[in-house]
Amino acid sequence: MYALVDGNNFYVSCERVFRPSLNGRPVVVLSNNDGCAIARSNEAKALGIKMGAPWFQIRHLEEQAGLVALSANFTLYGDMSDRMMSLAAGLGPTQEVYSIDESFIGLHGVRGDLVERAWKIRARIHQWTGIPCGIGIGSTKTLAKLANHVAKTAERKPGTYADGMASVCDLSKLRSDQLRAVLSSTEVGEVWGVGRQISAQLTALGVKSVQDFIELPCEVVRGKWGVVLERTWRELRGEACIEVADMPVPKQQIACTRSFGRPVADLAPLLEAISEFTSRAAEKLRKQRHLAGQVLVFARTSPFRDGPRFSKSVVVPLRRPSADTSTLTTAALAGVRAIYQPGFNLAKAGVMLLDLMPDTQMQGELAWDDPVTGQRDRAKLMVAMDQVNDRFGKRTVLLGSSGITLGADTWGMKQVRRTPRYTTVWGEVPTVRA
DNA sequence: TCTGGGGTCCTAGGACCC
DNA sequence: TCTGGGGTCCTAGGACCC
């Protein structure tokens, strides 16, 4: 048996914890550069605002409907997420943190009434963090995910499903006719693993509901869409195919990419941006205790704008795997110089670290010009740099090539509506007035 | 006239997730 | 004027091996 615990409208809920005046109002949280809506309160959803809606297309709702838009405050959301996850972990013996606002809980061996237990955990998360969440329970991960969807829909649109499924929903508790009713009134596109393409293809075949889908013959699913969808199909029928990944799996690639606050045409700001992105990526790499074998750099113009198009990337292999910021940056900057062409308004660029391997597997090498002691000193330098930056804040120590202004007047991010980092920066901790 | 069988590795592209 | 960022897995096809 599995559970999925999922924060409701997570980013918006995080903001509301510290600004209760936002309760009951339509609120959206915007992506980087205040580009588009990436989280919406129920009231914002009710206004018809779609996930990913560009801000300039919905900003008239600010005046017309009292919509509040906030810049993304990922520092806050990450910290709130940690708190929520550690409480959700109390639901069962294993936990897989699946995304910033969701975790799967393995319930094997848990005794007593699961639904009651889930309600308690939900209440505790709400009381201790202020985040409302939905909990879905099912005999497979896919069914738990579906149960979670039912729990949230039942809460938001009463009357969609039979009573008693709002907020906490255990599909395994239903009689077969009740389950059939739920699956028949849920669109197949809501299923975890069925995206836009497959959902359109299924609908074209007359397969609209989850119930329709699980009634398809296995060979048809396998033949037309492959093993991935077959797994989903089996899971929906109660056959567990996907386990809870209790241990976090190391990443196979690490990326840091950004859209620019304004178009970038010159090489200098581009170099600065890439240097900064590489530093960020290298920090993640060291946190994972891995080395990278290759660095990929890309830059491109906006796909939404007219004018000359540009999109290029290059993979720069390293002479030996490294997690050293300056080694990785040197490679990345060489890559940028190789692909850069003047005359384009670049909208976005990024760095990806590829060919990752544990730093314990580093192969020794004869290197007359680069003695092993030098390597060790560099590693110590990186440890020291990470410790200083952890303690005193990002970019306390940085590479000169990243620049000291964060590209404020060139490539830097636009974020005019960001709330304070209430829980992680002393100077921004909220003050309580009597 | 006739042209094997079985592998591996890599890459690009497409689908999905939040 | 203005459209996010970070990942995963699978498949097909080509190069190459014996």
Side-chain angles (χ1 to χ4, degrees), chain A residues 188-189 191-205 207-208 213 216 221 224-226 228-230 232:
Chain A
V188 68
V191 171
W192 185 43
V194 179
R196 267 221 326 268
Q197 304 289 326
I198 293 174
S199 153
Q201 290 159 7
L202 285 167
T203 308
L205 291 176
V207 178
K208 291 183 187 162
F213 178 59
L216 284 176
V221 176
K224 274 193 154 57
W225 292 281
V228 180
L229 198 67
E230 181 191 342
T232 299

PDB file of all heavy atoms in Angstrom, chain A residues 188-189 191-205 207-208 213 216 221 224-226 228-230 232, chain B residues 14-17:
ATOM      1  N   VAL A 188      -8.768  10.376 -18.420  1.00  0.00           N
ATOM      2  CA  VAL A 188      -7.543   9.582 -18.510  1.00  0.00           C
ATOM      3  C   VAL A 188      -6.304  10.475 -18.468  1.00  0.00           C
ATOM      4  O   VAL A 188      -5.247  10.077 -17.983  1.00  0.00           O
ATOM      5  CB  VAL A 188      -7.561   8.705 -19.791  1.00  0.00           C
ATOM      6  CG1 VAL A 188      -7.470   9.555 -21.052  1.00  0.00           C
ATOM      7  CG2 VAL A 188      -6.443   7.681 -19.746  1.00  0.00           C
ATOM      8  N   GLY A 189      -6.456  11.715 -18.921  1.00  0.00           N
ATOM      9  CA  GLY A 189      -5.317  12.637 -18.913  1.00  0.00           C
ATOM     10  C   GLY A 189      -4.845  13.009 -17.517  1.00  0.00           C
ATOM     11  O   GLY A 189      -3.757  13.554 -17.353  1.00  0.00           O
ATOM     12  N   VAL A 191      -4.147  10.871 -15.268  1.00  0.00           N
ATOM     13  CA  VAL A 191      -3.316   9.776 -14.751  1.00  0.00           C
ATOM     14  C   VAL A 191      -1.841  10.131 -14.826  1.00  0.00           C
ATOM     15  O   VAL A 191      -1.373  10.726 -15.801  1.00  0.00           O
ATOM     16  CB  VAL A 191      -3.603   8.489 -15.558  1.00  0.00           C
ATOM     17  CG1 VAL A 191      -2.603   7.397 -15.203  1.00  0.00           C
ATOM     18  CG2 VAL A 191      -5.023   8.022 -15.314  1.00  0.00           C
ATOM     19  N   TRP A 192      -1.127   9.768 -13.798  1.00  0.00           N
ATOM     20  CA  TRP A 192       0.334   9.952 -13.731  1.00  0.00           C
ATOM     21  C   TRP A 192       0.995   9.104 -14.810  1.00  0.00           C
ATOM     22  O   TRP A 192       0.872   7.876 -14.772  1.00  0.00           O
ATOM     23  CB  TRP A 192       0.800   9.506 -12.347  1.00  0.00           C
ATOM     24  CG  TRP A 192       2.237   9.712 -12.019  1.00  0.00           C
ATOM     25  CD1 TRP A 192       3.001  10.809 -12.291  1.00  0.00           C
ATOM     26  CD2 TRP A 192       3.090   8.802 -11.314  1.00  0.00           C
ATOM     27  NE1 TRP A 192       4.260  10.643 -11.800  1.00  0.00           N
ATOM     28  CE2 TRP A 192       4.354   9.432 -11.191  1.00  0.00           C
ATOM     29  CE3 TRP A 192       2.917   7.538 -10.767  1.00  0.00           C
ATOM     30  CZ2 TRP A 192       5.432   8.820 -10.548  1.00  0.00           C
ATOM     31  CZ3 TRP A 192       3.991   6.937 -10.128  1.00  0.00           C
ATOM     32  CH2 TRP A 192       5.232   7.570 -10.027  1.00  0.00           C
ATOM     33  N   GLY A 193       1.605   9.749 -15.793  1.00  0.00           N
ATOM     34  CA  GLY A 193       2.227   9.012 -16.889  1.00  0.00           C
ATOM     35  C   GLY A 193       1.488   9.181 -18.200  1.00  0.00           C
ATOM     36  O   GLY A 193       1.979   8.767 -19.247  1.00  0.00           O
ATOM     37  N   VAL A 194       0.309   9.772 -18.140  1.00  0.00           N
ATOM     38  CA  VAL A 194      -0.434  10.067 -19.374  1.00  0.00           C
ATOM     39  C   VAL A 194      -0.402  11.579 -19.577  1.00  0.00           C
ATOM     40  O   VAL A 194      -1.076  12.311 -18.872  1.00  0.00           O
ATOM     41  CB  VAL A 194      -1.888   9.572 -19.298  1.00  0.00           C
ATOM     42  CG1 VAL A 194      -2.637   9.918 -20.573  1.00  0.00           C
ATOM     43  CG2 VAL A 194      -1.924   8.078 -19.045  1.00  0.00           C
ATOM     44  N   GLY A 195       0.395  12.011 -20.529  1.00  0.00           N
ATOM     45  CA  GLY A 195       0.549  13.443 -20.778  1.00  0.00           C
ATOM     46  C   GLY A 195      -0.336  13.908 -21.919  1.00  0.00           C
ATOM     47  O   GLY A 195      -1.298  13.238 -22.286  1.00  0.00           O
ATOM     48  N   ARG A 196       0.002  15.052 -22.465  1.00  0.00           N
ATOM     49  CA  ARG A 196      -0.836  15.663 -23.500  1.00  0.00           C
ATOM     50  C   ARG A 196      -0.974  14.783 -24.745  1.00  0.00           C
ATOM     51  O   ARG A 196      -2.073  14.535 -25.233  1.00  0.00           O
ATOM     52  CB  ARG A 196      -0.241  17.016 -23.914  1.00  0.00           C
ATOM     53  CG  ARG A 196      -0.799  18.183 -23.158  1.00  0.00           C
ATOM     54  CD  ARG A 196      -1.039  19.374 -24.090  1.00  0.00           C
ATOM     55  NE  ARG A 196      -0.070  19.490 -25.176  1.00  0.00           N
ATOM     56  CZ  ARG A 196       1.049  20.210 -25.085  1.00  0.00           C
ATOM     57  NH1 ARG A 196       1.333  20.848 -23.995  1.00  0.00           N
ATOM     58  NH2 ARG A 196       1.886  20.271 -26.099  1.00  0.00           N
ATOM     59  N   GLN A 197       0.173  14.308 -25.246  1.00  0.00           N
ATOM     60  CA  GLN A 197       0.180  13.552 -26.496  1.00  0.00           C
ATOM     61  C   GLN A 197      -0.667  12.288 -26.379  1.00  0.00           C
ATOM     62  O   GLN A 197      -1.583  12.047 -27.157  1.00  0.00           O
ATOM     63  CB  GLN A 197       1.606  13.149 -26.876  1.00  0.00           C
ATOM     64  CG  GLN A 197       2.580  14.292 -26.981  1.00  0.00           C
ATOM     65  CD  GLN A 197       2.301  15.159 -28.189  1.00  0.00           C
ATOM     66  OE1 GLN A 197       1.869  14.672 -29.220  1.00  0.00           O
ATOM     67  NE2 GLN A 197       2.521  16.452 -28.037  1.00  0.00           N
ATOM     68  N   ILE A 198      -0.294  11.470 -25.381  1.00  0.00           N
ATOM     69  CA  ILE A 198      -0.949  10.171 -25.239  1.00  0.00           C
ATOM     70  C   ILE A 198      -2.425  10.352 -24.918  1.00  0.00           C
ATOM     71  O   ILE A 198      -3.283   9.626 -25.439  1.00  0.00           O
ATOM     72  CB  ILE A 198      -0.236   9.344 -24.152  1.00  0.00           C
ATOM     73  CG1 ILE A 198       1.178   8.995 -24.643  1.00  0.00           C
ATOM     74  CG2 ILE A 198      -1.010   8.077 -23.825  1.00  0.00           C
ATOM     75  CD1 ILE A 198       2.043   8.313 -23.620  1.00  0.00           C
ATOM     76  N   SER A 199      -2.720  11.362 -24.119  1.00  0.00           N
ATOM     77  CA  SER A 199      -4.106  11.621 -23.777  1.00  0.00           C
ATOM     78  C   SER A 199      -4.921  11.965 -25.034  1.00  0.00           C
ATOM     79  O   SER A 199      -6.038  11.476 -25.216  1.00  0.00           O
ATOM     80  CB  SER A 199      -4.129  12.745 -22.741  1.00  0.00           C
ATOM     81  OG  SER A 199      -5.293  13.445 -22.794  1.00  0.00           O
ATOM     82  N   ALA A 200      -4.333  12.749 -25.928  1.00  0.00           N
ATOM     83  CA  ALA A 200      -5.027  13.098 -27.175  1.00  0.00           C
ATOM     84  C   ALA A 200      -5.220  11.854 -28.046  1.00  0.00           C
ATOM     85  O   ALA A 200      -6.284  11.652 -28.645  1.00  0.00           O
ATOM     86  CB  ALA A 200      -4.237  14.167 -27.928  1.00  0.00           C
ATOM     87  N   GLN A 201      -4.176  11.010 -28.100  1.00  0.00           N
ATOM     88  CA  GLN A 201      -4.281   9.792 -28.907  1.00  0.00           C
ATOM     89  C   GLN A 201      -5.347   8.854 -28.350  1.00  0.00           C
ATOM     90  O   GLN A 201      -6.116   8.243 -29.101  1.00  0.00           O
ATOM     91  CB  GLN A 201      -2.914   9.087 -28.949  1.00  0.00           C
ATOM     92  CG  GLN A 201      -1.875   9.844 -29.767  1.00  0.00           C
ATOM     93  CD  GLN A 201      -0.438   9.449 -29.416  1.00  0.00           C
ATOM     94  OE1 GLN A 201      -0.198   8.515 -28.652  1.00  0.00           O
ATOM     95  NE2 GLN A 201       0.520  10.183 -29.970  1.00  0.00           N
ATOM     96  N   LEU A 202      -5.409   8.749 -27.035  1.00  0.00           N
ATOM     97  CA  LEU A 202      -6.408   7.886 -26.412  1.00  0.00           C
ATOM     98  C   LEU A 202      -7.818   8.422 -26.661  1.00  0.00           C
ATOM     99  O   LEU A 202      -8.732   7.663 -27.020  1.00  0.00           O
ATOM    100  CB  LEU A 202      -6.142   7.779 -24.907  1.00  0.00           C
ATOM    101  CG  LEU A 202      -4.962   6.897 -24.495  1.00  0.00           C
ATOM    102  CD1 LEU A 202      -4.597   7.118 -23.035  1.00  0.00           C
ATOM    103  CD2 LEU A 202      -5.276   5.422 -24.741  1.00  0.00           C
ATOM    104  N   THR A 203      -7.965   9.725 -26.488  1.00  0.00           N
ATOM    105  CA  THR A 203      -9.285  10.325 -26.677  1.00  0.00           C
ATOM    106  C   THR A 203      -9.774  10.097 -28.102  1.00  0.00           C
ATOM    107  O   THR A 203     -10.950   9.812 -28.333  1.00  0.00           O
ATOM    108  CB  THR A 203      -9.226  11.833 -26.367  1.00  0.00           C
ATOM    109  OG1 THR A 203      -8.624  12.001 -25.084  1.00  0.00           O
ATOM    110  CG2 THR A 203     -10.615  12.437 -26.345  1.00  0.00           C
ATOM    111  N   ALA A 204      -8.842  10.193 -29.058  1.00  0.00           N
ATOM    112  CA  ALA A 204      -9.209   9.979 -30.465  1.00  0.00           C
ATOM    113  C   ALA A 204      -9.737   8.561 -30.685  1.00  0.00           C
ATOM    114  O   ALA A 204     -10.524   8.320 -31.594  1.00  0.00           O
ATOM    115  CB  ALA A 204      -7.995  10.242 -31.350  1.00  0.00           C
ATOM    116  N   LEU A 205      -9.303   7.635 -29.839  1.00  0.00           N
ATOM    117  CA  LEU A 205      -9.783   6.255 -29.946  1.00  0.00           C
ATOM    118  C   LEU A 205     -11.048   6.029 -29.118  1.00  0.00           C
ATOM    119  O   LEU A 205     -11.515   4.894 -28.985  1.00  0.00           O
ATOM    120  CB  LEU A 205      -8.696   5.286 -29.469  1.00  0.00           C
ATOM    121  CG  LEU A 205      -7.454   5.172 -30.343  1.00  0.00           C
ATOM    122  CD1 LEU A 205      -6.434   4.258 -29.679  1.00  0.00           C
ATOM    123  CD2 LEU A 205      -7.811   4.647 -31.721  1.00  0.00           C
ATOM    124  N   VAL A 207     -11.204   6.560 -25.905  1.00  0.00           N
ATOM    125  CA  VAL A 207     -10.830   6.237 -24.526  1.00  0.00           C
ATOM    126  C   VAL A 207     -10.746   7.540 -23.746  1.00  0.00           C
ATOM    127  O   VAL A 207      -9.791   8.288 -23.880  1.00  0.00           O
ATOM    128  CB  VAL A 207      -9.477   5.498 -24.480  1.00  0.00           C
ATOM    129  CG1 VAL A 207      -9.056   5.211 -23.044  1.00  0.00           C
ATOM    130  CG2 VAL A 207      -9.560   4.214 -25.275  1.00  0.00           C
ATOM    131  N   LYS A 208     -11.779   7.813 -22.971  1.00  0.00           N
ATOM    132  CA  LYS A 208     -11.838   9.114 -22.298  1.00  0.00           C
ATOM    133  C   LYS A 208     -11.554   9.019 -20.811  1.00  0.00           C
ATOM    134  O   LYS A 208     -10.825   9.819 -20.262  1.00  0.00           O
ATOM    135  CB  LYS A 208     -13.223   9.738 -22.492  1.00  0.00           C
ATOM    136  CG  LYS A 208     -13.480  10.170 -23.934  1.00  0.00           C
ATOM    137  CD  LYS A 208     -14.832  10.852 -24.037  1.00  0.00           C
ATOM    138  CE  LYS A 208     -15.204  11.151 -25.475  1.00  0.00           C
ATOM    139  NZ  LYS A 208     -16.657  11.391 -25.582  1.00  0.00           N
ATOM    140  N   PHE A 213      -9.712   3.340 -20.076  1.00  0.00           N
ATOM    141  CA  PHE A 213      -8.311   3.001 -20.317  1.00  0.00           C
ATOM    142  C   PHE A 213      -7.961   1.627 -19.766  1.00  0.00           C
ATOM    143  O   PHE A 213      -7.336   0.809 -20.455  1.00  0.00           O
ATOM    144  CB  PHE A 213      -7.409   4.078 -19.706  1.00  0.00           C
ATOM    145  CG  PHE A 213      -5.946   3.794 -19.851  1.00  0.00           C
ATOM    146  CD1 PHE A 213      -5.361   3.629 -21.106  1.00  0.00           C
ATOM    147  CD2 PHE A 213      -5.129   3.689 -18.727  1.00  0.00           C
ATOM    148  CE1 PHE A 213      -4.010   3.368 -21.239  1.00  0.00           C
ATOM    149  CE2 PHE A 213      -3.783   3.426 -18.850  1.00  0.00           C
ATOM    150  CZ  PHE A 213      -3.221   3.260 -20.112  1.00  0.00           C
ATOM    151  N   LEU A 216      -8.869  -1.377 -21.868  1.00  0.00           N
ATOM    152  CA  LEU A 216      -8.162  -1.705 -23.107  1.00  0.00           C
ATOM    153  C   LEU A 216      -7.384  -3.000 -22.916  1.00  0.00           C
ATOM    154  O   LEU A 216      -6.920  -3.286 -21.808  1.00  0.00           O
ATOM    155  CB  LEU A 216      -7.163  -0.594 -23.458  1.00  0.00           C
ATOM    156  CG  LEU A 216      -7.679   0.708 -24.057  1.00  0.00           C
ATOM    157  CD1 LEU A 216      -6.513   1.683 -24.217  1.00  0.00           C
ATOM    158  CD2 LEU A 216      -8.344   0.462 -25.405  1.00  0.00           C
ATOM    159  N   VAL A 221      -2.160  -1.547 -25.543  1.00  0.00           N
ATOM    160  CA  VAL A 221      -1.402  -0.523 -24.825  1.00  0.00           C
ATOM    161  C   VAL A 221       0.086  -0.701 -25.110  1.00  0.00           C
ATOM    162  O   VAL A 221       0.790   0.247 -25.482  1.00  0.00           O
ATOM    163  CB  VAL A 221      -1.674  -0.621 -23.312  1.00  0.00           C
ATOM    164  CG1 VAL A 221      -0.818   0.379 -22.549  1.00  0.00           C
ATOM    165  CG2 VAL A 221      -3.146  -0.378 -23.023  1.00  0.00           C
ATOM    166  N   LYS A 224       0.873  -0.048 -29.046  1.00  0.00           N
ATOM    167  CA  LYS A 224       0.756   1.326 -29.555  1.00  0.00           C
ATOM    168  C   LYS A 224       1.664   2.304 -28.821  1.00  0.00           C
ATOM    169  O   LYS A 224       2.131   3.279 -29.403  1.00  0.00           O
ATOM    170  CB  LYS A 224      -0.702   1.812 -29.414  1.00  0.00           C
ATOM    171  CG  LYS A 224      -1.611   1.430 -30.562  1.00  0.00           C
ATOM    172  CD  LYS A 224      -2.904   2.246 -30.461  1.00  0.00           C
ATOM    173  CE  LYS A 224      -3.614   2.453 -31.770  1.00  0.00           C
ATOM    174  NZ  LYS A 224      -3.994   1.258 -32.504  1.00  0.00           N
ATOM    175  N   TRP A 225       1.893   2.073 -27.520  1.00  0.00           N
ATOM    176  CA  TRP A 225       2.616   3.103 -26.747  1.00  0.00           C
ATOM    177  C   TRP A 225       3.856   2.594 -26.009  1.00  0.00           C
ATOM    178  O   TRP A 225       4.614   3.384 -25.482  1.00  0.00           O
ATOM    179  CB  TRP A 225       1.668   3.769 -25.746  1.00  0.00           C
ATOM    180  CG  TRP A 225       0.602   4.590 -26.409  1.00  0.00           C
ATOM    181  CD1 TRP A 225       0.762   5.848 -26.919  1.00  0.00           C
ATOM    182  CD2 TRP A 225      -0.748   4.216 -26.646  1.00  0.00           C
ATOM    183  NE1 TRP A 225      -0.429   6.279 -27.457  1.00  0.00           N
ATOM    184  CE2 TRP A 225      -1.374   5.307 -27.301  1.00  0.00           C
ATOM    185  CE3 TRP A 225      -1.501   3.077 -26.372  1.00  0.00           C
ATOM    186  CZ2 TRP A 225      -2.713   5.279 -27.692  1.00  0.00           C
ATOM    187  CZ3 TRP A 225      -2.827   3.039 -26.755  1.00  0.00           C
ATOM    188  CH2 TRP A 225      -3.426   4.137 -27.411  1.00  0.00           C
ATOM    189  N   GLY A 226       4.019   1.276 -25.912  1.00  0.00           N
ATOM    190  CA  GLY A 226       5.259   0.787 -25.322  1.00  0.00           C
ATOM    191  C   GLY A 226       5.172   0.414 -23.855  1.00  0.00           C
ATOM    192  O   GLY A 226       4.114   0.466 -23.229  1.00  0.00           O
ATOM    193  N   VAL A 228       6.316   1.741 -21.137  1.00  0.00           N
ATOM    194  CA  VAL A 228       6.097   2.713 -20.069  1.00  0.00           C
ATOM    195  C   VAL A 228       4.608   2.823 -19.750  1.00  0.00           C
ATOM    196  O   VAL A 228       4.193   2.763 -18.592  1.00  0.00           O
ATOM    197  CB  VAL A 228       6.661   4.092 -20.463  1.00  0.00           C
ATOM    198  CG1 VAL A 228       6.429   5.096 -19.353  1.00  0.00           C
ATOM    199  CG2 VAL A 228       8.143   3.982 -20.762  1.00  0.00           C
ATOM    200  N   LEU A 229       3.808   2.941 -20.812  1.00  0.00           N
ATOM    201  CA  LEU A 229       2.372   3.068 -20.582  1.00  0.00           C
ATOM    202  C   LEU A 229       1.771   1.746 -20.112  1.00  0.00           C
ATOM    203  O   LEU A 229       0.806   1.730 -19.356  1.00  0.00           O
ATOM    204  CB  LEU A 229       1.663   3.563 -21.844  1.00  0.00           C
ATOM    205  CG  LEU A 229       0.276   4.136 -21.556  1.00  0.00           C
ATOM    206  CD1 LEU A 229       0.356   5.416 -20.757  1.00  0.00           C
ATOM    207  CD2 LEU A 229      -0.523   4.355 -22.823  1.00  0.00           C
ATOM    208  N   GLU A 230       2.365   0.645 -20.548  1.00  0.00           N
ATOM    209  CA  GLU A 230       1.875  -0.645 -20.065  1.00  0.00           C
ATOM    210  C   GLU A 230       2.027  -0.726 -18.543  1.00  0.00           C
ATOM    211  O   GLU A 230       1.143  -1.232 -17.836  1.00  0.00           O
ATOM    212  CB  GLU A 230       2.653  -1.798 -20.720  1.00  0.00           C
ATOM    213  CG  GLU A 230       2.143  -3.166 -20.252  1.00  0.00           C
ATOM    214  CD  GLU A 230       3.027  -4.333 -20.661  1.00  0.00           C
ATOM    215  OE1 GLU A 230       3.841  -4.167 -21.587  1.00  0.00           O
ATOM    216  OE2 GLU A 230       2.901  -5.411 -20.059  1.00  0.00           O
ATOM    217  N   THR A 232       1.985   1.774 -16.485  1.00  0.00           N
ATOM    218  CA  THR A 232       0.927   2.615 -15.922  1.00  0.00           C
ATOM    219  C   THR A 232      -0.408   1.872 -15.912  1.00  0.00           C
ATOM    220  O   THR A 232      -1.136   1.885 -14.925  1.00  0.00           O
ATOM    221  CB  THR A 232       0.800   3.901 -16.761  1.00  0.00           C
ATOM    222  OG1 THR A 232       2.043   4.596 -16.710  1.00  0.00           O
ATOM    223  CG2 THR A 232      -0.300   4.797 -16.249  1.00  0.00           C
TER     224      THR A 232
ATOM    225  P    DG B  14      11.395  14.731 -32.315  1.00  0.00           P
ATOM    226  OP1  DG B  14      10.746  14.811 -33.630  1.00  0.00           O
ATOM    227  OP2  DG B  14      11.845  15.947 -31.611  1.00  0.00           O
ATOM    228  O5'  DG B  14      10.446  13.925 -31.341  1.00  0.00           O
ATOM    229  C5'  DG B  14      10.282  12.517 -31.544  1.00  0.00           C
ATOM    230  C4'  DG B  14       9.705  11.919 -30.303  1.00  0.00           C
ATOM    231  O4'  DG B  14      10.756  11.758 -29.321  1.00  0.00           O
ATOM    232  C3'  DG B  14       8.635  12.805 -29.642  1.00  0.00           C
ATOM    233  O3'  DG B  14       7.496  12.029 -29.357  1.00  0.00           O
ATOM    234  C2'  DG B  14       9.304  13.305 -28.371  1.00  0.00           C
ATOM    235  C1'  DG B  14      10.257  12.165 -28.063  1.00  0.00           C
ATOM    236  N9   DG B  14      11.373  12.527 -27.209  1.00  0.00           N
ATOM    237  C8   DG B  14      12.208  13.611 -27.332  1.00  0.00           C
ATOM    238  N7   DG B  14      13.109  13.663 -26.388  1.00  0.00           N
ATOM    239  C5   DG B  14      12.857  12.551 -25.598  1.00  0.00           C
ATOM    240  C6   DG B  14      13.499  12.082 -24.429  1.00  0.00           C
ATOM    241  O6   DG B  14      14.458  12.567 -23.832  1.00  0.00           O
ATOM    242  N1   DG B  14      12.907  10.917 -23.961  1.00  0.00           N
ATOM    243  C2   DG B  14      11.845  10.282 -24.514  1.00  0.00           C
ATOM    244  N2   DG B  14      11.407   9.179 -23.925  1.00  0.00           N
ATOM    245  N3   DG B  14      11.227  10.711 -25.617  1.00  0.00           N
ATOM    246  C4   DG B  14      11.790  11.843 -26.100  1.00  0.00           C
ATOM    247  P    DA B  15       6.068  12.777 -29.187  1.00  0.00           P
ATOM    248  OP1  DA B  15       5.129  12.010 -29.994  1.00  0.00           O
ATOM    249  OP2  DA B  15       6.248  14.222 -29.377  1.00  0.00           O
ATOM    250  O5'  DA B  15       5.762  12.596 -27.634  1.00  0.00           O
ATOM    251  C5'  DA B  15       5.238  11.365 -27.195  1.00  0.00           C
ATOM    252  C4'  DA B  15       5.725  11.078 -25.806  1.00  0.00           C
ATOM    253  O4'  DA B  15       7.151  11.272 -25.706  1.00  0.00           O
ATOM    254  C3'  DA B  15       5.205  12.011 -24.715  1.00  0.00           C
ATOM    255  O3'  DA B  15       3.889  11.660 -24.324  1.00  0.00           O
ATOM    256  C2'  DA B  15       6.186  11.686 -23.595  1.00  0.00           C
ATOM    257  C1'  DA B  15       7.467  11.299 -24.335  1.00  0.00           C
ATOM    258  N9   DA B  15       8.543  12.257 -24.103  1.00  0.00           N
ATOM    259  C8   DA B  15       8.861  13.386 -24.804  1.00  0.00           C
ATOM    260  N7   DA B  15       9.894  14.028 -24.331  1.00  0.00           N
ATOM    261  C5   DA B  15      10.275  13.281 -23.228  1.00  0.00           C
ATOM    262  C6   DA B  15      11.307  13.424 -22.279  1.00  0.00           C
ATOM    263  N6   DA B  15      12.177  14.428 -22.297  1.00  0.00           N
ATOM    264  N1   DA B  15      11.398  12.497 -21.310  1.00  0.00           N
ATOM    265  C2   DA B  15      10.512  11.498 -21.283  1.00  0.00           C
ATOM    266  N3   DA B  15       9.516  11.243 -22.123  1.00  0.00           N
ATOM    267  C4   DA B  15       9.449  12.182 -23.077  1.00  0.00           C
ATOM    268  P    DC B  16       3.046  12.627 -23.388  1.00  0.00           P
ATOM    269  OP1  DC B  16       1.695  12.065 -23.287  1.00  0.00           O
ATOM    270  OP2  DC B  16       3.257  14.015 -23.821  1.00  0.00           O
ATOM    271  O5'  DC B  16       3.760  12.470 -21.975  1.00  0.00           O
ATOM    272  C5'  DC B  16       3.748  11.210 -21.327  1.00  0.00           C
ATOM    273  C4'  DC B  16       4.669  11.260 -20.146  1.00  0.00           C
ATOM    274  O4'  DC B  16       6.012  11.533 -20.586  1.00  0.00           O
ATOM    275  C3'  DC B  16       4.393  12.394 -19.175  1.00  0.00           C
ATOM    276  O3'  DC B  16       3.351  12.046 -18.303  1.00  0.00           O
ATOM    277  C2'  DC B  16       5.713  12.477 -18.440  1.00  0.00           C
ATOM    278  C1'  DC B  16       6.735  12.100 -19.497  1.00  0.00           C
ATOM    279  N1   DC B  16       7.522  13.257 -19.993  1.00  0.00           N
ATOM    280  C2   DC B  16       8.676  13.617 -19.282  1.00  0.00           C
ATOM    281  O2   DC B  16       8.985  12.946 -18.293  1.00  0.00           O
ATOM    282  N3   DC B  16       9.400  14.676 -19.705  1.00  0.00           N
ATOM    283  C4   DC B  16       9.018  15.363 -20.783  1.00  0.00           C
ATOM    284  N4   DC B  16       9.773  16.386 -21.146  1.00  0.00           N
ATOM    285  C5   DC B  16       7.849  15.013 -21.514  1.00  0.00           C
ATOM    286  C6   DC B  16       7.129  13.964 -21.086  1.00  0.00           C
ATOM    287  P    DC B  17       2.688  13.191 -17.430  1.00  0.00           P
ATOM    288  OP1  DC B  17       1.531  12.592 -16.764  1.00  0.00           O
ATOM    289  OP2  DC B  17       2.532  14.401 -18.237  1.00  0.00           O
ATOM    290  O5'  DC B  17       3.809  13.487 -16.347  1.00  0.00           O
ATOM    291  C5'  DC B  17       4.163  12.470 -15.434  1.00  0.00           C
ATOM    292  C4'  DC B  17       5.164  13.034 -14.476  1.00  0.00           C
ATOM    293  O4'  DC B  17       6.388  13.311 -15.189  1.00  0.00           O
ATOM    294  C3'  DC B  17       4.763  14.377 -13.909  1.00  0.00           C
ATOM    295  O3'  DC B  17       3.914  14.183 -12.811  1.00  0.00           O
ATOM    296  C2'  DC B  17       6.098  14.948 -13.504  1.00  0.00           C
ATOM    297  C1'  DC B  17       7.044  14.409 -14.566  1.00  0.00           C
ATOM    298  N1   DC B  17       7.395  15.393 -15.615  1.00  0.00           N
ATOM    299  C2   DC B  17       8.513  16.206 -15.391  1.00  0.00           C
ATOM    300  O2   DC B  17       9.140  16.066 -14.333  1.00  0.00           O
ATOM    301  N3   DC B  17       8.875  17.106 -16.333  1.00  0.00           N
ATOM    302  C4   DC B  17       8.156  17.215 -17.450  1.00  0.00           C
ATOM    303  N4   DC B  17       8.559  18.111 -18.350  1.00  0.00           N
ATOM    304  C5   DC B  17       7.005  16.406 -17.694  1.00  0.00           C
ATOM    305  C6   DC B  17       6.652  15.516 -16.748  1.00  0.00           C
TER     306       DC B  17
END
